[in-house]
Amino acid sequence: MPPKKRSSGTTQNKEVKPSVKSPSPDKKDNAELSIKKHKEKDEDFVGLCMTLQVTDLVCDQAWTFWKSVQKSIEDNPDTQRRMWGVCLYVTSTDMDVASFTLTQMQKAVELNVKQFLSLVRKLDVNMDTISSRVHSVLTHLEKRYDVTLALYQRFEKTCMKIFSADSVKEKEMQHTCWTMFLLAKGRALQMEDDLVIAFQLLLCVLEFFIKRCPAGALQPLYQSSISKAQSPPTRTSRRNQSKAKPRPPEPELDVQLLETLCEENDCNPEEVKNVYKNSFCAFLESMDLSRSQDLPQASELSRQYEEMHLRARDFDGRLFLDGDQTLLGPTSYPSQAAERTPKKNQPEEEAVLIPPQTPIRAAMSSIQQLRLDLTSTGDQPSANLVIYFKNCTVDPTDGVLRRVETLGQMFGQRFCSAAGPRMADTGRQRFTLGVRQYYKVMESMLKSEEKRLSVQNFSKLLNDSTFHTSLLACALQVVMATYGGPGVKTGGYTHATCGNGEPAESDLSFPWILDVFELAAFDFYKVIESFIKAEPSLSKDIVKHLEICEHLIMETLAWRKGSLVFDLLKQAQGEGSAEQPETPATLNQPLQHNHTAADLYLSPVRPGYRVLPPPQCPGTPPTSLGSLSQAPIPQHPRSNSLSLFYKKLYRLAYTRLNMLCSYLLSSNPDLEPFMWTLLQYTLQHQYELMRDRHLDQLIMSAMYAICKVKNVDLRFKTIVTAYKTMPNTNQETFKHVLITEGTELRGPHHDSIIIFYNQVFMQKLKNNIMQYASARVSPHPSHTTTTTSSSLTPPLPPHQTTLHQVDSVPLMQAHPGSLCAPFQPPTLSPIPQIPRSPYKYPSSPLRVPGSNNVYISPLKNPRMSPSIMTPRSRMLVSIGESFGPSNRFQKINQMVNSSDGSMKRSMEQGSAPKPLKRLRFDMDGQDEADGSKAAGESTLIQRLAEMSSTRCRMQEQKMKEDAESGKQ
């Protein structure tokens, strides 16, 4: 039986037991531990098992687990006891045996949540230490903890603004309010770890308590916000009144009070009302509180939450109220350190206060900005879009509207399946925002195409169903990521799984939207870059999120069985040529192209020529392009979409390989060119190895193969240990690798990365791998540069870096019957040029032409005063708005003139001007040249005129000639 419950008002809980899906075989009527069976184990360990009331089988399994990892743990009594607790939790979770909660284990070994998660990661020393089931449980646990911690911190701050006194009575009321929220979150929300919906529910609970509080306990703002018809009672309880006396019906919602709460917390009132009516009211009805004007009994709420907590085997959220050490979190967020930034050389000015960017504040600000950007956009095609539709040979209007309606129904059904049937209105609201974004970006794309091509008839593109579905899916992904908060913006690398290993429906992260619309990942990839370029109002976080989605597609999603990528690759090779999706010769050239979504969806659209290579021996890489015959042969049109896909794929693959090499092989930098050449060859010629697999699996295998053939000691265990520290990685990548595809009689077989290397990768590429055994690399700058700038470093011809044969005796003979010569060392693939990011971040400041230290950026929120934007607000100018004291203009003028003067003095002395020590903002993925203009006339009027002109151009691009641009 579990220990007594924490609340003093609770009763003995005989009927409530933790749910057990698959009980332990020896756990029948008696769950007590038999001490006689565990004499060989440490007495303290057995005592801990007795405290947590585990079974004999769990005790045995946890002890075996501990012994397997003991050598990797520091020899410290405190650490040892904590690791025992972790081993017991991991074992019981893996066996699905419920005997204790996380909090009970934490208290037994004095461990907080973050320490617990850190120790579990330390335990995972081998690739099979922590199972997928345990990993999934811990992933959800960590997210629930982070969400609950953020909600409690916001709850504390909000209560300080609501209640006027900090007395014992108000504290008790806050405790009851928080407990009721935890209970409502667990019962009313299917997605407990959704930060936005959970916060909206918290506002509903606060509204419920505020209107029942005495007026004297509230701050003036909330006293005046309560409707007169909803005046609070003078007493908080009527338990002594006659039960037979009828109570007057109470309105479901105090709209005025709720709107005040929403305004104070930057929340959309309509969304909160939906949560109140569809979820919170149902919870009140289940608690028999829908018509009660009394506050609920704290002991009853605590009892019911205790039951839910024991079933979940989770952390006890009530302990946040006590500041309990088991839930100890960071006292402040990193951004709070900048809350009050001192200003140099300006003691007379007050420091600018910047609100700390907490998770909730960040989420609410992102949602508010998204809604603001879509204010002037309707959920129907605009007048400009209608004109584009009418100019088409075949009018796409009916098809567009029907498609939106159909996809809306599909989205609504799947959203309700994930978030719960009461979230239908919330799903419709988010879909509507996505539709507005869809129409807005479509219009922007068509305007750009009209300028580029000087045509207005886009009939073929606008009647392409895949284009529309992809564009709407991308718009909805922006909305889902905005509402999902920081946790979702990882791109969905870590997917929740149910007990049977299937993805959990409640996970709305990417690629959930692709599954909803049954959209191929390769088709979705085509629209991402054009979408970003067509919507300059996207925040940097959302742009980064879409970039991560693109990476996920290139790493694994586009390589699923049945993908169009394989069809395009077979078509390119099936024409009897050696034409590849993208030649290695272009790798050391900048990633520049002018392809738009129209080009990619209507691809192939351009003619091409191919070069026939001489016959080659099977298993050897193709001859260098420089040695091929230059006689052009007409070929079929080449696929723009596949070519660009491979350009980005190569750069992504090299970036991740380079990152791993920097972690593991800093003392052997000469091995990286071999690894990259092997990896590039595999992607180009053995792309079938990518089917239903992950790019990182090939990267790790290529690293191991080269180290093995070069007699460098690098084990897979070391590789995966370093791999786990990289961003956006998942342990399933090296634990769950496809070995053999499934058949009609049995499913596919998966195993670890080691089995994949031995049985698949090495068998397929053995001949190619052995070529590197007796070869060395000629030192060349192109192979020591990890990140280059296309504007500063000219591309190097691929033939400048070669391999040389060291031994006179060939390592391997040709296959029997082959007329080919022994294997020759392969030509190294050129190192790709890696820009910082292929996408522009519209929110980054732009340098004013002709200046080195004046930057401007669009003011995203017109209501925000320029004086509180950043701690350096004294150096900011907002054209057309009040700037502040006139002496600030003089200071800017002095700054500009002083810099010009210093340049003049430097030039007069005959030395080159020194660049100012200021940040350079990257717009095209390339570093800005640091040259400076000769000093000339430099007055404030001239600079402000340049700033005004540049800002106008930015506004035209950003706002796309909408109403807001006209006002500015």
Side-chain angles (χ1 to χ4, degrees):
M1 185 177 70
K4 292 184 179 181
K5 295 179 287 295
R6 169 182 172 276
S7 176
S8 59
T10 57
T11 58
Q12 290 296 327
N13 185 19
K14 295 183 180 180
E15 76 284 2
V16 179
K17 296 180 181 179
S19 60
V20 181
K21 297 179 181 178
S22 303
S24 173
D26 66 341
K27 184 178 180 181
K28 298 179 181 179
D29 298 328
N30 186 9
E32 294 184 359
L33 203 67
S34 176
I35 301 179
K36 296 181 180 180
K37 296 181 180 179
H38 308 287
K39 291 182 179 181
E40 77 285 356
K41 301 180 178 65
D42 191 289
E43 292 182 2
D44 292 335
F45 176 81
V46 177
L48 179 60
C49 292
M50 295 182 65
T51 301
L52 298 178
Q53 301 180 352
V54 302
T55 64
D56 289 327
L57 183 58
V58 172
C59 180
D60 288 336
Q61 294 289 344
W63 182 255
T64 302
F65 182 24
W66 158 249
K67 297 301 288 185
S68 67
V69 298
Q70 184 178 8
K71 293 182 180 179
S72 62
I73 306 300
E74 59 179 311
D75 188 11
N76 183 291
D78 293 336
T79 302
Q80 179 174 273
R81 182 172 177 83
R82 290 177 174 180
M83 293 304 299
W84 287 345
V86 173
C87 290
L88 286 167
Y89 183 88
V90 170
T91 302
S92 63
T93 300
D94 205 16
M95 298 173 62
D96 198 15
V97 177
S99 61
F100 59 89
T101 68
L102 174 63
T103 297
Q104 291 168 351
M105 183 276 293
Q106 289 178 279
K107 287 186 174 295
V109 299
E110 299 180 353
L111 191 67
N112 67 48
V113 173
K114 288 299 183 181
Q115 291 172 336
F116 164 72
L117 294 170
S118 176
L119 289 178
V120 173
R121 295 187 181 100
K122 290 181 180 180
L123 273 181
D124 196 11
V125 293
N126 295 312
M127 286 180 284
D128 56 350
T129 305
I130 303 298
S131 67
S132 299
R133 176 186 180 83
V134 174
H135 178 72
S136 176
V137 170
L138 294 179
T139 299
H140 273 286
L141 169 67
E142 184 172 20
K143 186 172 183 180
R144 284 196 301 275
Y145 170 77
D146 290 338
V147 168
T148 309
L149 174 62
L151 290 168
Y152 179 72
Q153 291 175 333
R154 187 56 172 259
F155 172 77
E156 274 191 318
K157 296 177 182 179
T158 305
C159 285
M160 293 174 61
K161 298 178 181 179
I162 293 175
F163 299 105
S164 59
D166 194 20
S167 63
V168 176
K169 200 168 187 179
E170 274 68 33
K171 283 291 185 182
E172 291 178 353
M173 188 177 301
Q174 292 178 30
H175 281 218
T176 305
C177 181
W178 176 250
T179 305
M180 182 174 176
F181 164 69
L182 293 175
L183 186 60
K185 183 167 71 77
R187 288 188 177 180
L189 299 185
Q190 190 165 312
M191 295 191 306
E192 292 186 59
D193 52 4
D194 189 297
L195 179 64
V196 175
I197 296 179
F199 180 60
Q200 292 169 347
L201 179 64
L202 177 59
L203 296 182
C204 297
V205 176
L206 286 170
E207 185 271 349
F208 178 85
F209 272 78
I210 291 173
K211 64 188 179 186
R212 287 166 173 77
C213 288
L218 301 175
Q219 296 281 6
L221 174 63
Y222 289 95
Q223 288 183 16
S224 59
S225 298
I226 300 177
S227 304
K228 294 182 179 179
Q230 195 62 46
S231 58
T234 57
R235 291 181 294 175
T236 60
S237 176
R238 298 185 179 181
R239 291 193 297 268
N240 297 327
Q241 295 184 359
S242 174
K243 296 183 179 180
K245 182 178 179 179
R247 293 172 178 170
E250 177 187 29
E252 287 186 348
L253 175 64
D254 188 330
V255 177
Q256 182 178 340
L257 174 58
L258 191 65
E259 288 179 349
T260 301
L261 279 168
C262 292
E263 183 178 356
E264 289 295 305
N265 291 278
D266 299 325
C267 234
N268 182 266
E270 295 303 318
E271 294 181 352
V272 180
K273 290 176 185 177
N274 279 335
V275 174
Y276 192 103
K277 294 178 180 179
N278 297 322
S279 297
F280 187 58
C281 284
F283 168 75
L284 293 178
E285 189 70 28
S286 68
M287 296 286 294
D288 197 21
L289 295 172
S290 58
R291 290 186 174 275
S292 172
Q293 292 187 0
D294 300 334
L295 290 175
Q297 296 183 26
S299 59
E300 179 62 19
L301 290 176
S302 186
R303 183 190 69 80
Q304 295 194 36
Y305 177 77
E306 181 85 4
E307 295 177 2
M308 185 177 70
H309 164 61
L310 291 175
R311 287 194 299 269
R313 291 177 285 163
D314 215 335
F315 59 86
D316 190 341
R318 295 168 299 180
L319 298 182
F320 280 112
L321 295 163
D322 305 326
D324 194 277
Q325 291 298 311
T326 60
L327 296 181
L328 182 64
T331 56
S332 62
Y333 288 88
S335 59
Q336 285 180 311
E339 188 168 347
R340 187 176 179 88
T341 306
K343 295 185 174 185
K344 297 180 181 179
N345 305 324
Q346 294 202 11
E348 73 280 3
E349 295 187 12
E350 295 183 358
V352 177
L353 295 179
I354 305 299
Q357 194 73 350
T358 61
I360 292 180
R361 182 182 294 276
M364 295 300 108
S365 298
S366 299
I367 294 170
Q368 191 178 36
Q369 185 62 50
L370 175 66
R371 288 184 165 276
L372 184 64
D373 293 338
L374 298 177
T375 300
S376 59
T377 306
D379 51 6
Q380 294 292 323
S382 65
N384 290 333
L385 271 181
V386 171
I387 294 175
Y388 280 118
F389 292 167
K390 297 298 182 183
N391 289 335
C392 292
T393 305
V394 179
D395 192 338
T397 304
D398 293 339
V400 168
L401 297 179
R402 285 197 304 269
R403 188 180 300 106
V404 168
E405 181 180 1
T406 302
L407 295 178
Q409 294 174 356
M410 297 169 61
F411 180 87
Q413 293 174 358
R414 291 291 297 274
F415 189 87
C416 287
S417 176
R422 297 190 182 97
M423 290 286 110
D425 289 341
T426 300
R428 280 190 289 269
Q429 287 177 334
R430 296 189 184 181
F431 184 78
T432 300
L433 289 175
V435 170
R436 292 178 179 177
Q437 185 85 73
Y438 160 70
Y439 285 135
K440 180 183 179 183
V441 174
M442 188 196 306
E443 181 178 342
S444 178
M445 284 183 176
L446 294 177
K447 286 182 179 179
S448 298
E449 288 295 285
E450 182 180 2
K451 291 180 181 179
R452 186 174 73 100
L453 303 175
S454 300
V455 297
Q456 294 182 339
N457 186 347
F458 301 103
S459 182
K460 190 173 182 181
L461 176 66
L462 292 178
N463 283 280
D464 189 307
S465 178
T466 304
F467 163 72
H468 285 287
T469 304
S470 302
L471 185 59
L472 180 56
C474 194
L476 283 167
Q477 185 59 37
V478 169
V479 174
M480 300 298 287
T482 302
Y483 276 86
V488 180
K489 291 172 184 175
T490 60
Y493 281 90
T494 303
H495 299 293
T497 56
C498 304
N500 57 2
E502 295 297 325
E505 180 66 14
S506 60
D507 188 1
L508 300 180
S509 59
F510 187 80
W512 178 82
I513 192 65
L514 303 186
D515 298 333
V516 172
F517 289 168
E518 299 178 356
L519 180 65
F522 185 70
D523 288 327
F524 181 84
Y525 139 84
K526 298 176 187 178
V527 82
I528 294 177
E529 185 169 346
S530 294
F531 189 100
I532 294 173
K533 292 179 179 178
E535 182 57 303
S537 65
L538 293 177
S539 68
K540 186 174 181 177
D541 286 338
I542 293 299
V543 173
K544 185 63 178 177
H545 170 75
L546 292 178
E547 187 176 3
I548 292 176
C549 292
E550 184 181 64
H551 289 175
L552 184 60
I553 291 173
M554 291 188 290
E555 289 171 356
T556 181
L557 297 181
W559 302 100
R560 287 178 175 174
K561 187 175 181 179
S563 172
L564 179 63
V565 173
F566 294 104
D567 296 335
L568 293 174
L569 288 169
K570 289 179 180 178
Q571 181 181 354
Q573 291 191 349
E575 297 169 359
S577 73
E579 183 196 37
Q580 301 300 330
E582 192 60 34
T583 59
T586 64
L587 289 176
N588 55 6
Q589 299 175 5
L591 181 60
Q592 296 177 349
H593 67 92
N594 57 357
H595 299 314
T596 64
D599 293 331
L600 300 183
Y601 281 98
L602 303 180
S603 172
V605 295
R606 62 181 171 89
Y609 290 92
R610 70 186 180 202
V611 181
L612 290 178
Q616 295 189 352
C617 177
T620 59
T623 309
S624 174
L625 292 179
S627 64
L628 297 180
S629 172
Q630 300 301 318
I633 300 176
Q635 69 171 29
H636 294 291
R638 188 178 178 185
S639 171
N640 285 328
S641 58
L642 185 62
S643 174
L644 180 60
F645 178 82
Y646 255 79
K647 283 183 179 179
K648 293 186 176 183
L649 174 67
Y650 283 151
R651 283 157 177 82
L652 175 63
Y654 176 74
T655 300
R656 299 185 72 77
L657 172 66
N658 174 258
M659 189 178 299
L660 273 177
C661 287
S662 65
Y663 289 164
L664 301 172
L665 297 170
S666 57
S667 60
N668 294 278
D670 56 320
L671 296 183
E672 182 185 300
F674 301 144
M675 296 172 180
W676 165 238
T677 302
L678 175 61
L679 178 61
Q680 188 273 325
Y681 170 83
T682 305
L683 294 173
Q684 187 176 16
H685 298 280
Q686 302 293 339
Y687 56 83
E688 285 289 340
L689 288 175
M690 282 293 297
R691 189 184 300 275
D692 287 334
R693 296 189 179 98
H694 196 288
L695 174 65
D696 292 345
Q697 294 164 358
L698 268 63
I699 292 175
M700 289 185 280
S701 297
M703 289 186 66
Y704 182 82
I706 295 299
C707 287
K708 192 74 173 176
V709 81
K710 285 293 188 180
N711 295 319
V712 175
D713 185 17
L714 181 65
R715 302 181 181 182
F716 260 119
K717 177 181 176 180
T718 306
I719 295 176
V720 299
T721 299
Y723 176 76
K724 288 187 293 185
T725 65
M726 294 173 61
N728 302 323
T729 57
N730 189 336
Q731 68 167 0
E732 292 299 297
T733 303
F734 54 84
K735 288 186 176 181
H736 195 73
V737 189
L738 177 67
I739 307 300
T740 57
E741 297 184 3
T743 63
E744 296 182 357
L745 300 179
R746 61 180 182 179
H749 172 57
H750 294 80
D751 213 310
S752 70
I753 184 72
I754 298 177
I755 303 301
F756 165 72
Y757 175 83
N758 289 331
Q759 298 185 7
V760 181
F761 187 87
M762 192 266 291
Q763 300 299 328
K764 191 76 173 179
L765 294 166
K766 183 176 182 179
N767 293 341
N768 187 274
I769 293 172
M770 297 307 295
Q771 296 176 80
Y772 298 90
S774 58
R776 62 181 176 85
V777 63
S778 296
H780 198 281
S782 66
H783 283 286
T784 59
T785 303
T786 58
T787 303
T788 60
S789 172
S790 58
S791 62
L792 301 178
T793 306
L796 297 167
H799 65 274
Q800 288 189 348
T801 304
T802 59
L803 289 173
H804 301 283
Q805 190 76 17
V806 177
D807 302 326
S808 57
V809 180
L811 184 66
M812 295 186 65
Q813 300 293 334
H815 293 289
S818 172
L819 299 178
C820 293
F823 288 117
Q824 297 297 322
T827 301
L828 287 185
S829 299
I831 298 298
Q833 289 205 9
I834 310 297
R836 226 175 284 175
S837 173
Y839 300 118
K840 297 180 180 180
Y841 294 126
S843 59
S844 299
L846 290 174
R847 184 175 63 87
V848 174
S851 69
N852 286 321
N853 56 348
V854 180
Y855 293 82
I856 62 173
S857 61
L859 186 63
K860 294 184 72 73
N861 191 348
R863 299 180 301 172
M864 182 181 293
S865 172
S867 63
I868 65 172
M869 288 177 63
T870 69
R872 297 189 299 115
S873 61
R874 64 187 184 279
M875 310 309 295
L876 298 177
V877 180
S878 180
I879 306 298
E881 295 189 17
S882 175
F883 178 60
S886 59
N887 62 344
R888 291 197 174 185
F889 288 98
Q890 297 175 0
K891 293 177 182 178
I892 292 181
N893 198 23
Q894 292 173 2
M895 177 193 69
V896 175
N897 286 333
S898 63
S899 63
D900 284 347
S902 63
M903 289 184 185
K904 282 184 179 181
R905 289 191 296 271
S906 299
M907 294 184 70
E908 288 173 358
Q909 296 172 2
S911 60
K914 295 182 179 180
L916 296 177
K917 294 183 179 180
R918 298 184 64 83
L919 293 176
R920 295 296 184 187
F921 293 93
D922 182 24
M923 294 302 295
D924 295 312
Q926 303 168 5
D927 292 333
E928 185 180 20
D930 227 1
S932 57
K933 187 179 179 181
E937 183 181 3
S938 177
T939 64
L940 179 63
I941 297 177
Q942 178 184 357
R943 291 301 170 95
L944 291 180
E946 292 174 347
M947 293 171 66
S948 178
S949 174
T950 306
R951 187 173 189 271
C952 289
R953 291 197 300 270
M954 291 177 62
Q955 285 182 337
E956 180 181 3
Q957 178 187 3
K958 176 181 179 293
M959 306 309 294
K960 296 300 179 180
E961 301 176 354
D962 58 8
E964 188 174 352
S965 177
K967 293 179 181 180
Q968 294 181 354

